[in-house]
């Protein structure tokens, strides 16, 4: 398990009963030592003791060499660096599962693309996504998740390995659709948070989420994804959760933007990564590259990177030329 943030820790806790050992790798040596001593991730997921099968390490070789499955939960901005360092320890037939939700800013690569081009051997690749909050997963609350791989046999292998009484996995072969849905829902959640921060009601949030789903679907289809994927768990399900749930860090960032706080100040006081901030810039660049209309994401880009007033951004969205749905 690569990545000991809230999501990586929650998955390690949830999957611990399925394996004799779960090696949880922390990028920061100090955090690894604290986790090993306290047996709890007090920084990112306080209140959930680490079960006995979980071993914590800062040593990449120890953490992943000989692993049956490598699960990557590294934030998108660190993923290339970590996979570069880990590549020599990952066997050519070892499945690598990405649970990172984002797009690399410079290359505009999806996470599975980044992993595939970084590993020297063509390992079986899969992606994991769905409507999940880390704290609820760690608490053992029921959840449904999608595991997608271009080869169905790989998805089914991970499905069998990871399924628990509380985690129900559905297989898919639409890697593109699952990854784009996972990444862009964070950007729409920023917008939903802004609506709430401005004091707007449920009507506004519902409209933004619905039209946001249409934008996510447009881009996913242009990139090779399937429209039906975005109406399922990895699209609509994850979007609704992230845009409306109180545990959503992306919604929380948008909420504070709507209340008038500046983005650098918000991020400086946010210990966990809000992937939607960097994903917004990447998604906007993808829309330009592929000539896809993403008006909500374009306005979020103006708010985040061009100092657009959030209230004005929402007003301009409403004043766009009238059209059919």
């Amino acid at each position: 398990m690569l990545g000991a943030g809230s999501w990586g820790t929650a998955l390690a806790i949830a999957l611990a009963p399925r394996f004799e050992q779960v090696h949880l790798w922390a990028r920061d040596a100090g955090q690894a030592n604290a986790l090993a001593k306290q047996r709890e991730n007090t920084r990112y997921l306080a209140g959930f003791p680490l079960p006995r099968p979980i071993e914590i390490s800062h040593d990449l070789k120890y953490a992943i060499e000989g692993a049956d499955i490598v699960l990557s939960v590294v934030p998108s901005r660190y993923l290339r660096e970590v996979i570069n360092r880990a590549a020599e320890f990952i066997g050519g037939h070892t499945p690598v599962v990405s649970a990172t939700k984002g797009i690399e800013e410079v290359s505009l690569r999806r996470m599975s693309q980044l992993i595939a081009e970084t590993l020297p051997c063509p390992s079986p690749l899969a992606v994991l996504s769905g409507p999940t909050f880390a704290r609820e997963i760690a608490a053992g609350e029921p959840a449904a998740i999608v595991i997608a791989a271009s080869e169905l046999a790989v998805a089914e292998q991970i499905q069998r390995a990871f399924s628990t009484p509380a985690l129900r996995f559905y297989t898919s072969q639409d890697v593109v659709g699952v990854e784009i849905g996972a990444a862009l829902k964070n950007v729409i959640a920023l917008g939903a948070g802004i609506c709430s921060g401005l004091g707007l009601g449920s009507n506004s949030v519902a409209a933004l989420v619905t039209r946001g789903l249409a934008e996510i679907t447009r881009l996913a289809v242009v990139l090779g994804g399937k429209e039906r994927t975005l109406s399922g768990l990895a699209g609509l399900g994850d979007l609704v959760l992230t845009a409306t749930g109180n545990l959503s860090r992306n919604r929380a960032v948008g909420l504070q933007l709507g209340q008038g706080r500046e983005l650098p100040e918000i991020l400086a006081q946010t210990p966990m990564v809000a992937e939607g901030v960097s994903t917004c810039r990447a998604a906007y660049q993808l829309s330009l590259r592929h000539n896809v209309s993403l008006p909500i994401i374009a306005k979020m880009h103006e708010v985040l990177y061009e100092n657009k007033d959030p209230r004005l951004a929402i007003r301009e969205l409403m004043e766009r030329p009238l059209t059919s749905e």
Side-chain angles (χ1 to χ4, degrees):
M1 179 90 63
L2 298 175
S6 59
W7 185 216
T9 303
L11 285 173
I13 291 171
L15 296 175
R18 299 288 293 152
F19 299 93
E20 290 185 12
Q21 283 187 325
V22 174
H23 287 186
L24 180 61
W25 176 81
R27 192 171 58 90
D28 180 76
Q31 185 195 8
N33 291 332
L35 285 169
K37 285 182 180 180
Q38 299 167 357
R39 300 299 299 175
E40 180 183 340
N41 194 335
T42 55
R43 182 188 299 181
Y44 297 120
L45 198 67
F48 296 95
L50 301 180
R52 188 174 299 276
I54 298 177
E55 293 189 19
I56 293 86
S57 177
H58 178 60
D59 184 330
L60 270 173
K61 180 177 181 180
Y62 177 78
I64 61 177
E65 190 170 53
D68 294 325
I69 300 170
V70 174
L71 178 55
S72 172
V73 202
V74 179
S76 60
R77 67 172 179 254
Y78 302 122
L79 184 60
R80 185 178 293 276
E81 171 206 341
V82 171
I83 296 299
N84 264 318
R85 292 170 51 201
E88 63 178 300
F89 309 122
I90 300 175
H93 299 291
T94 304
V96 178
V97 182
S98 171
T100 302
K101 300 181 178 184
I103 300 170
E104 190 177 42
E105 278 196 65
V106 176
S107 69
L108 305 185
R109 295 282 195 273
R110 292 177 284 108
M111 297 296 97
S112 66
Q113 289 177 309
L114 186 159
I115 293 171
E117 69 183 27
T118 304
L119 291 177
C121 300
S123 296
L125 291 176
V127 299
L128 178 157
S129 185
T132 48
F133 283 144
R135 296 193 67 83
E136 295 182 5
I137 294 298
E141 296 184 18
I145 303 177
V146 176
I147 189 78
S150 57
E151 296 181 29
L152 183 58
V154 174
E156 290 175 338
Q157 176 188 355
I158 305 303
Q159 180 189 45
R160 291 190 298 270
F162 283 3
S163 291
T164 74
L167 293 181
R168 180 175 176 83
F169 281 84
Y170 290 82
T171 60
S172 170
Q173 290 182 270
D174 184 11
V175 175
V176 175
V178 169
E179 286 193 295
I180 293 299
L184 268 62
K185 56 94 181 183
N186 286 325
V187 186
I188 304 303
L190 289 168
I194 286 174
C195 287
S196 297
L198 291 171
L200 303 178
S202 299
N203 290 351
S204 302
V205 174
L208 184 132
V209 168
T210 306
R211 296 311 305 161
L213 180 62
E215 293 190 19
I216 296 171
T217 302
R218 278 200 296 272
L219 183 60
V221 170
V222 165
L223 295 175
K226 295 180 173 60
E227 185 173 349
R228 63 174 294 183
T229 300
L230 281 304
S231 65
L233 291 167
L236 176 61
D238 206 3
L239 174 60
V240 169
L241 180 76
T242 310
T244 63
N246 290 330
L247 292 176
S248 167
R249 66 190 73 164
N250 290 282
R251 179 182 178 276
V253 169
L255 183 71
Q256 294 175 78
L257 286 170
Q259 292 170 341
R261 295 186 67 194
E262 299 293 329
L263 181 63
E265 177 190 2
I266 297 169
L267 296 182
Q269 296 178 3
T270 303
M272 292 182 284
V273 176
E275 288 280 8
V277 175
S278 61
T279 298
C280 181
R281 183 146 48 190
Y284 179 68
Q285 291 301 320
L286 279 172
S287 74
L288 297 179
R289 176 182 292 183
H290 296 279
N291 194 28
V292 180
S293 175
L294 306 179
I296 295 173
I297 289 172
K299 288 301 174 187
M300 291 305 100
H301 187 273
E302 291 181 22
V303 170
L304 295 173
Y305 297 109
E306 301 173 29
N307 295 316
K308 169 79 74 173
D309 178 79
R311 188 175 297 277
L312 178 58
I314 297 298
R315 191 179 77 193
E316 289 176 351
L317 281 172
M318 295 302 295
E319 292 176 349
R320 294 174 63 243
L322 301 177
T323 184
S324 60
E325 187 174 35

